[in-house]
Amino acid sequence: MSGPTSLRAVALVCTLKSGPAESSSVLMAEQICESLRTLGATTEIVRCADFAIAPGVEADMGEGDEWPAIRQKVLDADIVLISTPIWLGHPASIAQRVLERLDAELSNTDEAGRPIMIGKVALVAVVGNEDGAHKVVADLFQGLNDIGFSIPAQGCTYWNGEAMQGTDYKDLGETPDAVARTTSAATRNAAHLAELLKNGQYPRYE
């Protein structure tokens, strides 16, 4: 497949750690962005814990809310990645906050009556040293698809460490081959789908 020349991707990293603390979710997002850049895309990483994202389901929750600037990055992107750790078998609370803020876009439509996020491609990355990656991926993809995002084939990548031990993804030293292959497939398929949607949008809503 020839690489895209004009795709833009934004990674919303939902670690609970503010920068500059090391984070496995940030590391995986960096690896995904690196893979997307090899396909010709431009990328940006947003560490959501570093911003004041107010609770709510509106595009702008008023004074002090820093979500609108992040929202604009999402609107400008063709590919949106959510990278999250697993906590107690669920996505991090920040990932849920991001989904709740994106819920506002269901009532925002383009000139053809389509949800404004339609035509954008979603990727999900999950890290954790407990079980639950498939459930977290399913929860996030369900929400993102409801909002209007398209899900590519094999559009996720993840790493689960052995349960009840303390090794994190960032502590591994090198990326496991299985994770590297999965990341490569996810980014390749996401870029392919995003390019198709740029050249052929979904039909008008009547």
Side-chain angles (χ1 to χ4, degrees):
M1 183 190 83
S2 61
T5 57
S6 60
L7 294 180
R8 300 176 67 175
V10 62
L12 305 182
V13 179
C14 298
T15 175
L16 300 181
K17 300 175 182 176
S18 300
E22 291 186 351
S23 161
S24 294
S25 298
V26 170
L27 175 59
M28 184 162 278
E30 289 172 343
Q31 292 172 341
I32 292 167
C33 286
E34 180 180 4
S35 183
L36 285 168
R37 289 193 296 272
T38 67
L39 296 169
T42 60
T43 66
E44 181 177 3
I45 293 176
V46 176
R47 190 166 179 155
C48 293
D50 291 341
F51 297 85
I53 302 175
V57 290
E58 303 294 335
D60 188 340
M61 296 303 298
E63 183 178 358
D65 182 21
E66 295 184 307
W67 173 255
I70 299 173
R71 175 181 181 267
Q72 188 59 53
K73 296 178 187 295
V74 173
L75 289 172
D76 291 341
D78 304 294
I79 299 170
V80 178
L81 164 69
I82 293 185
S83 180
T84 182
I86 303 171
W87 287 111
L88 300 174
H90 297 278
S93 57
I94 293 177
Q96 183 63 32
R97 175 70 53 87
V98 166
L99 283 183
E100 288 165 353
R101 296 307 301 271
L102 286 171
D103 183 76
E105 309 310 330
L106 284 169
S107 58
N108 293 322
T109 57
D110 64 15
E111 70 283 353
R114 297 170 296 220
I116 201 167
M117 294 298 174
I118 204 166
K120 299 184 185 300
V121 172
L123 283 171
V124 166
V126 180
V127 291
N129 50 22
E130 59 177 283
D131 294 338
H134 284 171
K135 178 188 182 298
V136 169
V137 169
D139 288 349
L140 292 175
F141 271 157
Q142 178 62 54
L144 290 165
N145 188 249
D146 280 350
I147 292 161
F149 290 89
S150 294
I151 313 301
Q154 298 179 323
C156 68
T157 188
Y158 68 91
W159 177 83
N160 271 141
E162 182 181 353
M164 301 180 72
Q165 52 77 48
T167 301
D168 291 330
Y169 184 67
K170 61 181 173 58
D171 301 325
L172 296 181
E174 61 181 10
T175 304
D177 288 342
V179 176
R181 289 194 303 271
T182 303
T183 297
S184 178
T187 55
R188 185 174 61 248
N189 292 346
H192 177 71
L193 179 56
E195 192 77 0
L196 291 174
L197 289 171
K198 279 180 75 73
N199 294 317
Q201 182 56 278
Y202 287 103
R204 294 180 61 91
Y205 279 29
E206 301 297 339

